[in-house]
Amino acid sequence: MSSRLRQAAPNDLPQITAIYRDAVLNGTASYELAPPDEAEMASRFQAIRDKGYPYIVAEDEGGKVLGYAYASAFRTRPAYRWMVEDSIYIAPEARGRGLGKLLLEKLVEECEALGFRQMIAVIGGAAPASIALHRAAGFTETGLLKGTGYKHGRWLDTMLMQKTLGEGTEIDPDPSAYPGTLFSE
């Protein structure tokens, strides 16, 4: 399967919404129980883009969105502004074909270029495939939160994984440059 990565656009939202709907209804990556509609997904998309975070899609030769990934604030307190959380969702028919790896690599690259210093993966259900994907991309396990959610008739754990980006903690960041300007102090 050939695919191309590009910046997500508003006209991708119907396909993004459908992919996320499947993840909510059938998976454990999201702890939402009811899938949001396209209007809510558009609001979320715009909020992420307004803050300057990357939001990318993988599409096939015909332009069908096969998966998407974005970075967003891990927490909204100002001291966290140097850390981003990644989110990756793949259409059911495109899973297991390496798209998650491509999307994660591109997301890491874009976040490093923007000046972020850490990326965290909050892996719902402690999903083995997602843990393996992040481990292969250089993330390390930093904690397992037991029984954090109840979905699909069972208790779910959440795995936290982290990757240092760019200069990490080697030197102090410049608060006058993005992402230092993300939140007011």
Side-chain angles (χ1 to χ4, degrees), residues 144-178:
L144 180 67
L145 305 172
K146 304 290 271 174
T148 54
Y150 189 81
K151 188 174 179 180
H152 303 308
R154 68 184 198 270
W155 285 105
L156 300 171
D157 298 338
T158 299
M159 174 63 73
L160 300 178
M161 298 183 79
Q162 185 174 344
K163 179 179 178 72
T164 298
L165 304 178
E167 296 168 322
T169 59
E170 292 177 18
I171 64 168
D172 290 345
D174 178 359
S176 68
Y178 186 89

Side-chain angles (χ1 to χ4, degrees), residues 113-128:
L114 287 169
F116 290 102
R117 301 294 188 89
Q118 303 288 331
M119 183 177 283
I120 189 162
V122 180
I123 302 172

Side-chain angles (χ1 to χ4, degrees), residues 51-73:
K51 292 285 188 180
Y53 294 109
Y55 203 125
I56 55 179
V57 296
E59 66 179 6
D60 67 13
E61 309 85 19
K64 180 180 180 187
V65 175
L66 303 172
Y68 68 97
Y70 62 88
S72 59

